[in-house]
Amino acid sequence: MKLTFRSKVFLTLLFNSLVVVIGMLLIAGFYAARNFERYVVKVEERKVNGLLELLSREYELAGDWAPLRESVGQWLLILGMRPGRPHEETGGAEESARNGAGVSETEGGRRARPRYVLFDRNRHALSPTDSVSADGYDLKAVRAGGKVVGWLGVHERPRPSQPLDVEFLRHQASTFRAVGGVAVVVAIVVTWALSRHLLAPVQELVKGTRALMSRRFETRVEVGSDDEFGRLASDFNEMARTLERYERMRRQWLADIAHELRTPLAVLRGEIEAMLDGVRDVNREALESLHGEVLHLSRIVHDLHDLSLIESGRFQAELKPVDPLGVLDETLKAFRTRFDQRGMEIRAPDFAREAPVHVRADPDRLRQLFSNILENTLRYGEAPGWIEIGVETDPGRVVIHLEDSGPGVPEECLDRLFDRLYRVDRARSRAQGGSGLGLAICRSIVESVGGRIGAARGTSGGLRITVEFPRL
């Protein structure tokens, strides 16, 4: 039989409660009996002291033990602690004596030892009821005139045996059992309520998890406390918000890919159908147009493939110490002709004079990173214009700034500039031939080596991209 987590928690709490209740009852019963026995012992000590005082007084009055040896009633009066009263008025004393004080009782058909026995100074029994040996008795000295004149023998009893004492202990045991039964019932009720209360957040999390499994990413659970369950609920809600955000991005991603592929495919289809219908001649100009659309499709597919490989960690990269400033200098030299043709100036320090710095990266990926940024400037920067390169280094990092002369990017678009297929102006971007994946690839490359990349408005109103690498 498989128990649910709720049942396990309930049984665990109930077991602990029962152990505590039973332990408390056993301890309380043990100490109650022990303290009662101590109380009986103290009462017994007071009674023995009283008997010793009475026996000493009787000896001083009579001068010897003859009255006690000859009179049972006198012995009973002393045991009842009522000296000087007629024997007819000593019903309580006689009953006390016969209940184990001085008169022999029977136990299981045999005679039991008397509770109290008086011995002379030579330890010979003087009680008129019995003649017993002093062995097995705790002897208390009876003194008169400063001398030992006799001994009071007290037979020790291991446990309270008087009827009232036994009845009291039996009543106490019944009370403890009743209290224990009530405590067990209360423990069951409280444990059930407590387990239900404690596991209520778990039930909410279970329902929320099942909702997420059904792709209802808008699901949230209520955070009702600041304990571990409350933090778990907060983490669950954060996870749900992340999944909801990624779901929106996934849908937007699919829509953007469909849109990006639809346009060149529609152009290809239109031009091919026009050629088939004889509307357009099959000449070099028509073929170059078709070739341009195919290249655009190939660029989108190639960038998507690179992006997926980088983000999945399956991209074949050779990580080794490399100088990013040297790679940037080589990339700038490769782009300088195209910048000159567009009438755009490259403002960069003389990297040959810069002290070499090293980061752990793939040189080809770094070259792709800088190429994408420079390509972005060539496509969307206004001519005449410029791009300015700045470098900051410290013992722990290398920071490279690339700022162009504009046009800038609206403030609300800066955070999404590195998203896949995101374009500030879709129509203008498509006319420039971009795939919308260049900067997304840049972010993936930088983050794959533990760096960071960000965008901000430049001091001249253009776009400022900052790339930061951890330095070796």
Side-chain angles (χ1 to χ4, degrees), residues 239-456:
M239 178 185 67
R241 281 190 288 270
T242 302
L243 290 175
E244 186 178 18
R245 182 171 63 254
Y246 277 113
E247 177 64 12
R248 287 197 302 267
M249 292 174 59
R250 185 188 68 83
R251 293 177 180 177
Q252 185 65 40
W253 164 257
L254 292 176
D256 290 343
I257 289 179
H259 185 75
E260 292 297 326
L261 296 178
R262 184 186 301 115
T263 300
L265 287 175
V267 172
L268 282 174
R269 178 180 177 181
E271 292 192 3
I272 292 174
E273 289 179 350
M275 294 177 186
L276 291 175
D277 294 339
V279 177
R280 184 173 183 179
D281 295 334
V282 180
N283 52 32
R284 183 177 183 82
E285 180 183 359
L287 292 178
E288 288 180 350
S289 176
L290 293 177
H291 184 256
E293 295 299 332
V294 171
L295 290 179
H296 182 57
L297 280 174
S298 298
R299 188 161 45 250
I300 293 176
V301 174
H302 182 269
D303 288 345
L304 285 173
H305 183 254
D306 284 351
L307 186 61
S308 65
L309 289 178
I310 295 173
E311 291 185 346
S312 64
R314 293 184 291 112
F315 198 90
Q316 296 297 326
E318 184 182 356
L319 299 180
K320 60 183 180 180
V322 60
D323 182 5
L325 302 183
V327 176
L328 176 58
D329 189 28
E330 294 176 2
T331 307
L332 288 174
K333 291 177 180 179
F335 274 79
R336 187 171 298 277
T337 301
R338 295 179 60 189
F339 271 85
D340 292 341
Q341 290 175 350
R342 289 252 4 233
M344 301 184 72
E345 178 186 1
I346 297 178
R347 301 174 181 176
D350 187 357
F351 293 110
R353 297 183 178 180
E354 295 285 339
V357 294
H358 293 90
V359 301
R360 187 172 181 80
D362 186 330
D364 293 335
R365 296 304 108 208
L366 289 183
R367 192 172 293 106
Q368 183 180 12
L369 162 69
F370 296 132
S371 296
N372 287 352
I373 296 175
L374 295 175
E375 190 72 39
N376 190 74
T377 302
L378 280 173
R379 285 177 179 167
Y380 306 118
E382 290 182 348
W386 47 264
I387 182 171
E388 184 174 3
I389 314 297
V391 179
E392 297 178 18
T393 60
D394 57 44
R397 61 177 188 159
V398 180
V399 182
I400 301 174
H401 304 286
L402 300 99
E403 180 178 346
D404 60 37
S405 55
V409 175
E411 194 74 28
E412 63 273 12
C413 298
L414 290 175
D415 290 338
R416 300 192 58 192
L417 199 60
F418 297 93
D419 290 349
R420 293 170 292 187
L421 296 175
Y422 180 76
R423 290 189 176 97
V424 178
D425 185 345
R426 290 184 175 275
R428 182 169 176 266
S429 298
R430 188 174 296 109
Q432 298 294 337
S435 65
L437 295 170
L439 293 182
I441 292 176
C442 289
R443 181 175 65 180
S444 297
I445 292 174
V446 173
E447 291 180 351
S448 68
V449 296
R452 293 186 298 177
I453 186 171

Side-chain angles (χ1 to χ4, degrees), residues 61-77:
L61 292 176
D64 57 19
W65 298 114
L68 293 179
R69 183 178 293 145
E70 297 172 357
S71 174
V72 175
Q74 189 68 17
W75 174 241
L76 293 178
L77 283 173

Side-chain angles (χ1 to χ4, degrees), residues 13 34 37 73 92 110 114 120 152 168 172 184 186 207 216 221 234 255 264 335 346 371 373 377 385 392 435:
L13 295 177
R34 183 177 179 181
E37 290 180 4
R110 60 182 178 87
D120 62 13
L152 177 63
F168 175 79
Q172 288 294 102
V184 169
V186 172
K207 294 179 182 178
R216 299 199 300 272
V221 297
S234 299
F335 274 79
I346 297 178
S371 296
I373 296 175
T377 302
E392 297 178 18
S435 65

